[in-house]
Amino acid sequence: MPESPIRKLVPYAEKAKASGKTVFHLNIGQPDIETPEVALNAIKNMDRQVIEYSHSAGFQSYREKLSAYYKSVNIDVAPDNILITTGGSEALTFGFMSTCDPEDEVIIPEPFYANYNGFAVAAGLNVVPVTANIENGFALPPVEEIEKKITSKTKAIVICNPGNPTGYLYSKEELEQLRDIVKKHDLFLFADEVYREFCYDGATPMSVMNLDGIDKNVIMIDSVSKRYSMCGARIGAIVSKNKEVMAAALKFGQARLSPPTIDQIASEAALSTPKSYFDAVVSEYVQRRNITVEGLNNIPGVFCPKPSGAFYCVAKFPVDSAEKFCQWLLEEFEYEGATVMMAPASGFYSSEGLGQQEARLAYVLNQDSLKKAVKCLEEALKVYPGRLN
Amino acid sequence: MPESPIRKLVPYAEKAKASGKTVFHLNIGQPDIETPEVALNAIKNMDRQVIEYSHSAGFQSYREKLSAYYKSVNIDVAPDNILITTGGSEALTFGFMSTCDPEDEVIIPEPFYANYNGFAVAAGLNVVPVTANIENGFALPPVEEIEKKITSKTKAIVICNPGNPTGYLYSKEELEQLRDIVKKHDLFLFADEVYREFCYDGATPMSVMNLDGIDKNVIMIDSVSKRYSMCGARIGAIVSKNKEVMAAALKFGQARLSPPTIDQIASEAALSTPKSYFDAVVSEYVQRRNITVEGLNNIPGVFCPKPSGAFYCVAKFPVDSAEKFCQWLLEEFEYEGATVMMAPASGFYSSEGLGQQEARLAYVLNQDSLKKAVKCLEEALKVYPGRLN
């Protein structure tokens, strides 16, 4: 796997900090939101004397409560349709290995979460990108563009909804277009729905589990990481009504024995998080998004579509190369003692040469820091030597 | 992956328990030993408000303390030689993926831990077994037998020391034989050393990290699961002085983001477990082993080599098929309201047809239960219809 453009920046960020600069980290999706108290308390009050393996599919009690949670968000799945994994990462890896053979192809709208490449490599698959466009906010590419990419080796289409890195929320119509393609060509449809709770302006996410007539084709990936600000718990799930896929996934689950025990206890408890927690989180993110996106669009030459979900946006900058601009921000620039770290979007495109002027910003800092970060970018663009008029 | 003979028995065990029988579970390596208090307390006293990702290679503080632990057991490795993984399972998977290409071959003395097959499948590798023999206690097969298996596709030799399922502890001489083969053919040598602390009768384990002249060939796999009775924590490590291997492993680590956070905190604390804990555990296991192994050898027709490490033994029974015998024990037999569940050894052999009369017993129950379990087996063999002479 090639070095990612984000990781290339890490030494520059370290140098910047060592030199005394404040670095606003908009480059990663590690939220500063507190983990719900019910989850933290479950850990503190754990009364086990032996930290034993759980069932390879996860604790039954957790799967049952998770099924009830899904029903509460209008996704009708039974505990048997759920296998608890070590993070969403493992869920997608198991999903790929349970449905595809080495050398098979998976189609993914780009820009996409760069780690999908890693999971595909681990399963021996080839990623075939279909390009979405910043001009229309990264909507689903036209059906004919997707169908053009389908070959005899195509096994699946993978989406992230709401999306990382774009924040784009697919509409019912777009999901139904995907359903039709999947049905027509008998493909699997993977949907990474870990940002389900992060939808704004009254938008409601539609799960692929609610697409009619493709029960056996659909595999949903989930995780507690973002929902409960528990990225470090490494608890996810693979969800499908396809019994063969779930049986195969369980075999991979058995090979790795079990997902972490303590973290499942915390995740099970997290299901009792009060609605007020999410209301507060969503309201905070709406403000953060507005500060970031409106602030960016107010900078001459910058364009940033306003996303309806997740906590990322991708912006286009009037620069020669976003990779160089991001490095320069860390190496050469500071405004009032601070600078900004962003993720160059080239790392989210699989097609060579795309996204050269784009960067992803994760609006996971407090509002004051975000205001300062946007101001920083505004000042930086006034003096960046690689600026395009 | 084919269904394992142990998993086939699970429904029979469930039925036996539903019918009111006590089932002595000697089939799995889930110890009943309590997790050290220092580890449990670290979890209870955790004062983090956000359960964040750790570094993809694990917390630096943990890697530093782990390096000090290794030095204390005479293994000289730096924090940079250690990458924290989600269990030993992930360590071996990363190790395979970082050193081998699909279709490559790895040689493993059989019987071996059945999940190695799963990790090999996940990495696209073919396992080539070299057969060890119950008659000499599963000592390392002769060098010429191993060398016969080496082809242009052979990339590595994998051992487990002390061994699961055999409990066999390789001698310095055996390890030096392996070193010579590895050096001569430029192979990797993987050693799963998770049972290091479980060595009996004054035997001391030798780590492959201490084999001279093959620093770049050696990859050690470790885990907290058995050492601290923390199987459910899913914290392991891949340890190597080969920088290229570690850099590749880190890329796989980055793709899955991080090992679990809370569990690393517990594992780091577990490093302060007092020596008295291990003394008590080892002394308990010695007694358990003696009860089990001596008890088995006292049953007419049963042969069980006395292992020096881990908490397993493999016994040969005077039966037509250990698989059938194990199933019959659960389905048809009881003695004083109880029966025994063992793991048929055929599941630990990769060569078709081997180990048909053998079963693995994990002596992870208290001494009284083990005595009853052995008595149960003795009575069972008096009446088992498939008994040979």
Side-chain angles (χ1 to χ4, degrees):
Chain A
M1 286 184 284
E3 186 81 22
S4 88
I6 308 181
R7 280 179 206 125
K8 270 190 212 160
L9 292 175
V10 172
Y12 299 105
E14 280 167 6
K15 257 189 232 164
K17 280 185 276 190
S19 78
K21 265 189 242 182
T22 298
V23 176
F24 294 116
H25 278 280
L26 305 186
N27 56 305
I28 46 163
Q30 168 61 62
D32 63 341
I33 303 286
E34 289 187 4
T35 305
E37 256 194 310
V38 280
L40 295 171
N41 287 341
I43 298 168
K44 287 180 188 154
N45 299 329
M46 199 183 67
D47 65 350
R48 291 173 183 243
Q49 296 310 305
V50 188
I51 302 173
E52 294 181 302
Y53 292 123
S54 74
H55 188 284
S56 294
F59 285 119
Q60 183 64 19
S61 58
Y62 179 37
R63 293 161 73 203
E64 281 168 12
K65 282 190 200 158
L66 206 49
S67 157
Y69 153 77
Y70 286 128
K71 283 177 187 157
S72 80
V73 293
N74 194 32
I75 300 172
D76 185 24
V77 291
D80 278 359
N81 305 137
I82 304 168
L83 186 143
I84 308 303
T85 57
T86 307
S89 309
E90 187 180 77
L92 197 52
T93 304
F94 283 1
F96 282 162
M97 294 195 299
S98 300
T99 55
C100 302
D101 295 310
E103 302 303 320
D104 280 345
E105 295 171 357
V106 291
I107 294 174
I108 316 184
E110 65 181 355
F112 60 82
Y113 179 47
N115 279 334
Y116 291 169
N117 279 316
F119 310 138
V121 165
L125 309 183
N126 296 316
V127 170
V128 176
V130 51
T131 309
N133 210 303
I134 194 168
E135 268 72 43
N136 62 3
F138 299 108
L140 188 72
V143 169
E144 49 285 9
E145 292 301 313
I146 301 174
E147 287 201 306
K148 259 191 222 162
K149 306 282 183 171
I150 296 175
T151 72
S152 60
K153 293 201 161 183
T154 309
K155 271 288 173 61
I157 298 174
V158 181
I159 60 168
C160 181
N161 188 37
N164 174 9
T166 64
Y168 186 78
L169 182 70
Y170 288 120
S171 66
K172 186 163 184 278
E173 290 66 37
E174 287 171 311
L175 290 170
E176 286 175 348
Q177 288 174 355
L178 283 170
R179 176 199 57 197
D180 295 343
I181 300 173
V182 158
K183 208 169 174 177
K184 181 172 162 193
H185 299 275
D186 196 21
L187 305 176
F188 287 102
L189 177 59
F190 285 87
D192 177 346
E193 300 186 356
V194 304
Y195 297 98
R196 181 181 307 116
E197 269 67 19
F198 303 90
C199 288
Y200 313 124
D201 314 325
T204 38
M206 180 177 174
S207 174
V208 289
M209 299 303 290
N210 289 327
L211 290 170
D212 285 336
I214 54 165
D215 270 7
K216 296 220 161 163
N217 304 69
V218 163
I219 294 154
M220 191 249 281
I221 303 300
D222 210 350
S223 160
V224 304
S225 292
K226 312 295 175 174
R227 187 176 310 141
Y228 307 113
S229 199
M230 285 170 62
C231 292
R234 314 310 302 125
I235 294 293
I238 175 168
V239 181
S240 177
K241 293 187 176 172
N242 184 316
K243 289 196 169 110
E244 291 72 34
V245 169
M246 293 305 286
L250 180 58
K251 290 202 177 180
F252 289 106
Q254 286 164 336
R256 65 75 167 111
L257 302 168
S258 92
T261 300
I262 315 166
D263 311 77
Q264 284 185 79
I265 293 170
S267 300
E268 186 172 325
L271 289 169
S272 307
T273 303
K275 189 175 169 296
S276 55
Y277 173 91
F278 295 106
D279 291 344
V281 169
V282 165
S283 142
E284 174 66 21
Y285 274 121
V286 166
Q287 294 179 67
R288 291 177 177 189
R289 179 200 58 175
N290 293 348
I291 288 166
T292 311
V293 175
E294 288 163 19
L296 286 168
N297 282 317
N298 282 336
I299 302 173
V302 177
F303 171 62
C304 181
K306 190 176 187 178
S308 304
F311 35 67
Y312 308 99
C313 56
V314 172
K316 188 172 178 179
F317 293 91
V319 297
D320 54 346
S321 148
E323 285 190 43
K324 284 187 198 159
F325 179 53
C326 289
Q327 182 177 330
W328 176 87
L329 280 167
L330 294 167
E331 253 194 318
E332 311 278 349
F333 181 75
E334 66 178 272
Y335 176 73
E336 295 185 345
T339 193
V340 176
M341 184 168 180
M342 302 186 290
S346 52
F348 302 109
Y349 286 88
S350 183
S351 302
E352 198 72 38
L354 293 187
Q356 295 298 325
Q357 291 182 264
E358 301 166 16
R360 184 192 72 176
L361 299 90
Y363 42 92
V364 293
L365 303 184
N366 65 54
Q367 299 180 31
D368 185 55
S369 296
L370 287 173
K371 281 177 198 161
K372 287 182 180 153
V374 170
K375 180 69 183 162
C376 225
L377 289 172
E378 183 179 349
E379 295 301 320
L381 284 166
K382 289 179 185 165
V383 296
Y384 176 56
R387 158 135 202 162
L388 309 175
N389 49 7
Chain B
M1 288 181 283
E3 186 80 21
S4 88
I6 308 180
R7 282 180 204 125
K8 272 191 211 160
L9 292 176
V10 172
Y12 299 105
E14 280 166 8
K15 258 189 233 166
K17 281 186 274 189
S19 78
K21 266 188 240 182
T22 298
V23 176
F24 293 116
H25 279 280
L26 305 185
N27 56 303
I28 46 165
Q30 169 60 61
D32 64 340
I33 302 287
E34 288 187 5
T35 305
E37 255 194 310
V38 280
L40 294 171
N41 286 341
I43 298 168
K44 288 181 187 154
N45 299 330
M46 198 182 68
D47 65 351
R48 292 176 182 239
Q49 296 310 305
V50 188
I51 302 172
E52 295 181 304
Y53 293 123
S54 74
H55 188 285
S56 294
F59 285 120
Q60 183 63 20
S61 58
Y62 179 37
R63 293 161 73 202
E64 281 167 13
K65 282 191 200 157
L66 205 49
S67 156
Y69 153 77
Y70 286 128
K71 283 176 185 155
S72 80
V73 292
N74 194 32
I75 301 173
D76 185 23
V77 291
D80 279 358
N81 305 138
I82 303 169
L83 186 143
I84 307 303
T85 57
T86 308
S89 308
E90 189 180 77
L92 196 52
T93 304
F94 283 2
F96 282 163
M97 295 195 299
S98 301
T99 55
C100 302
D101 295 309
E103 303 302 318
D104 278 346
E105 294 171 357
V106 291
I107 294 174
I108 315 183
E110 64 181 356
F112 61 81
Y113 179 47
N115 280 335
Y116 290 169
N117 280 315
F119 311 139
V121 165
L125 309 182
N126 297 315
V127 170
V128 176
V130 51
T131 308
N133 211 304
I134 194 168
E135 268 72 44
N136 62 4
F138 300 107
L140 189 72
V143 169
E144 50 283 11
E145 291 301 313
I146 301 174
E147 287 200 304
K148 258 190 223 165
K149 306 282 183 173
I150 296 174
T151 73
S152 60
K153 293 201 159 185
T154 308
K155 271 285 174 63
I157 297 174
V158 181
I159 60 168
C160 181
N161 187 38
N164 174 9
T166 64
Y168 187 78
L169 183 70
Y170 289 121
S171 67
K172 187 164 185 276
E173 290 65 36
E174 287 171 312
L175 290 169
E176 286 175 348
Q177 287 173 354
L178 283 171
R179 176 199 58 197
D180 294 342
I181 299 173
V182 158
K183 208 169 175 175
K184 181 172 162 195
H185 300 274
D186 196 21
L187 305 176
F188 287 103
L189 176 60
F190 285 87
D192 177 346
E193 300 185 357
V194 304
Y195 297 98
R196 179 182 310 114
E197 269 69 17
F198 303 90
C199 287
Y200 313 124
D201 314 323
T204 39
M206 179 178 176
S207 173
V208 289
M209 299 302 293
N210 289 328
L211 289 171
D212 284 337
I214 54 166
D215 269 6
K216 296 220 161 165
N217 304 68
V218 162
I219 295 154
M220 192 249 281
I221 304 300
D222 210 351
S223 161
V224 305
S225 292
K226 313 295 176 177
R227 187 177 310 141
Y228 306 113
S229 199
M230 284 171 63
C231 293
R234 314 310 302 127
I235 294 293
I238 175 167
V239 181
S240 176
K241 292 186 176 172
N242 184 315
K243 287 195 170 111
E244 289 73 33
V245 170
M246 293 306 284
L250 181 58
K251 290 203 174 179
F252 289 106
Q254 286 164 335
R256 63 75 166 114
L257 303 168
S258 91
T261 299
I262 315 166
D263 312 75
Q264 284 185 78
I265 293 169
S267 300
E268 185 172 327
L271 288 169
S272 306
T273 302
K275 189 175 170 298
S276 55
Y277 173 92
F278 295 106
D279 291 345
V281 168
V282 165
S283 141
E284 174 67 21
Y285 274 121
V286 167
Q287 293 179 67
R288 291 177 177 190
R289 179 200 59 175
N290 293 348
I291 288 168
T292 310
V293 174
E294 288 163 18
L296 285 167
N297 283 317
N298 282 336
I299 303 174
V302 177
F303 171 63
C304 182
K306 190 175 187 178
S308 303
F311 35 67
Y312 308 99
C313 58
V314 172
K316 187 172 180 180
F317 293 91
V319 296
D320 53 347
S321 150
E323 284 190 44
K324 284 186 198 162
F325 179 55
C326 289
Q327 183 178 329
W328 176 88
L329 281 167
L330 295 167
E331 253 194 319
E332 311 275 349
F333 180 76
E334 66 178 275
Y335 177 73
E336 296 185 345
T339 192
V340 176
M341 185 168 178
M342 302 187 292
S346 52
F348 301 109
Y349 286 89
S350 182
S351 302
E352 198 72 35
L354 293 186
Q356 295 298 325
Q357 293 182 262
E358 300 167 15
R360 183 192 73 175
L361 298 90
Y363 43 93
V364 293
L365 303 183
N366 64 54
Q367 299 181 31
D368 184 54
S369 296
L370 287 172
K371 280 177 198 161
K372 286 181 181 155
V374 169
K375 180 69 181 163
C376 225
L377 288 171
E378 183 179 350
E379 294 301 320
L381 283 166
K382 288 180 186 166
V383 295
Y384 176 57
R387 161 140 199 154
L388 306 177
N389 57 6

